[in-house]
Amino acid sequence: MALDPQAANVLELVIKAGRPPYHTLSPKEARQLFRETRPASTPPAPQIGAVRDITADGPLGAIPLRVYRPGGISDSQPLPALVYFHGGGWVIGDLETHDVLCRQLTAEAGVSVVSVDYRLAPEQKFPASVEDAWAATRWIAAHATELAIDPARLAVGGDSAGGNLAAVVALLARDAGGPRIALQSLVYPVTDLAAESQSYADLADGYMLTRDSMRWFRAHYLAKEDDAADWRVSPLRAPSLAGLPPALVITAGYDPLRDEGEAYARKLREAGVMVDAVCFGGMVHGFVGMGRLIDTAFRAVTLIAGSLRYALR
């Protein structure tokens, strides 16, 4: 499939702006660049109800959370909830960079979204982000009453590195016997840092996320090379995917991560998990957050929201 014209236009805008690749920057510089450039591609935020910042108890202190609720619903009415982990290669991204996307999902799905501001690398390497993601999910389920959410209707989700964390949390919850997860929504997830798929080579440069930048994220995230084979880093390498919750796996046709996302969807299906796998063929990595510039982003948000409504009904 050909590159979508709007996606191609975004790539041209990046080139014309002279935006440096992340792998040429320090983590601090990359975070600032992501924060500064993100608003140019995100759509206007939809109207929703209450939004509040709170903290969960984490292994090394408080984990910041942002809780979103749809409009027109009593603050005390228990709602289904999505625990959301932002993308950014475990190095960049935060509550602000993914605020609009969380508002979109809240508005369209009619659920409460809880965004998790997990610890970032390289200051806190693996397994810090996994520990925070897992601790936050358990804390949210345990404090469901005060959050006005229904712990029996809980989903996890995320994009890119956040999709990786959502997949890992689903595995941890299965192995721990709870909390019960009704859906894992994995948007162009990282599933295998121990190998580079064919799409890494085929789409190494020129399509937003590059192979060199992925290697840069990987180097910052992992404390040692052996960690790459740990299933908490590479869920594709988990001994078994049986017994996991239903999954929505979204990939992009022009994304170096495409093949490993599709491989994870296949392995889930082979393990007997119900999977909807959708590849947006003409899209690049990160497109779901680019609704200001790419119309297809809204289709993807609607797909995620519909899956949430169905799974959490």
Side-chain angles (χ1 to χ4, degrees):
M1 184 173 182
L3 184 66
D4 182 274
Q6 289 185 321
N9 186 55
V10 169
L11 298 176
E12 283 294 318
L13 290 173
V14 170
I15 293 169
K16 288 178 181 177
R19 196 172 93 181
Y22 288 124
H23 68 268
T24 65
L25 304 174
S26 70
K28 182 178 179 180
E29 291 168 336
R31 289 170 193 151
Q32 186 64 28
L33 179 67
F34 191 42
R35 287 192 204 103
E36 290 176 351
T37 57
R38 182 88 167 169
S41 61
T42 54
Q47 286 293 115
I48 60 171
V51 179
R52 60 189 175 118
D53 290 341
I54 61 171
T55 58
D57 298 327
L60 288 181
I63 303 169
L65 307 177
R66 182 166 293 172
V67 184
Y68 303 82
R69 286 180 66 85
I73 295 175
S74 165
D75 289 344
S76 61
Q77 179 179 332
L79 290 175
L82 166 68
V83 182
Y84 194 84
F85 308 108
H86 67 78
W90 309 277
V91 176
I92 64 177
D94 52 35
L95 297 180
E96 297 302 331
T97 58
H98 286 65
D99 180 73
V100 172
L101 178 57
C102 288
R103 290 171 186 265
Q104 288 178 284
L105 293 173
T106 300
E108 284 212 40
V111 305
S112 180
V113 174
V114 185
S115 185
V116 180
D117 202 15
Y118 54 87
R119 285 173 289 160
L120 297 177
E123 294 86 352
Q124 301 288 336
K125 290 179 177 283
F126 170 79
S129 61
V130 171
E131 292 172 346
D132 281 3
W134 177 226
T137 303
R138 286 179 293 153
W139 187 92
I140 291 162
H143 292 78
T145 300
E146 64 193 76
L147 295 174
I149 64 172
D150 180 354
R153 294 186 290 166
L154 194 66
V156 293
D159 60 290
S160 197
N164 168 278
L165 293 173
V168 171
V169 165
L171 282 157
L172 289 167
R174 177 201 65 183
D175 293 348
R180 180 183 173 275
I181 306 298
L183 177 73
Q184 48 180 327
S185 178
L186 314 178
V187 181
Y188 25 79
V190 183
T191 68
D192 190 5
L193 278 186
E196 294 185 355
S197 66
Q198 186 61 43
S199 57
Y200 257 77
D202 294 343
L203 305 164
D205 197 26
Y207 298 103
M208 195 62 70
L209 178 65
T210 68
R211 179 172 59 188
D212 285 343
S213 288
M214 271 307 301
R215 290 173 175 173
W216 180 87
F217 287 127
R218 182 186 189 277
H220 283 307
Y221 184 45
L222 302 182
K224 58 185 187 296
E225 183 59 33
D226 288 351
D227 286 341
D230 189 314
W231 64 262
R232 296 171 300 161
V233 168
S234 300
L236 187 62
R237 294 174 182 262
S240 171
L241 301 185
L244 285 172
L248 170 66
V249 182
I250 290 177
T251 55
Y254 287 82
D255 181 359
L257 302 183
R258 180 196 65 210
D259 288 358
E260 65 193 77
E262 293 181 348
Y264 197 66
R266 282 195 303 274
K267 190 173 179 183
L268 284 168
R269 196 174 285 120
E270 289 164 1
V273 178
M274 189 165 61
V275 181
D276 288 330
V278 180
C279 181
F280 287 82
M283 290 293 111
V284 294
H285 189 83
F287 80 94
V288 175
M290 299 181 187
R292 188 180 295 273
L293 303 175
I294 297 178
D295 294 338
T296 298
F298 294 107
R299 289 173 48 212
V301 170
T302 297
L303 174 62
I304 299 166
S307 295
L308 287 166
R309 282 197 306 273
Y310 180 79
L312 303 176
R313 65 197 183 283

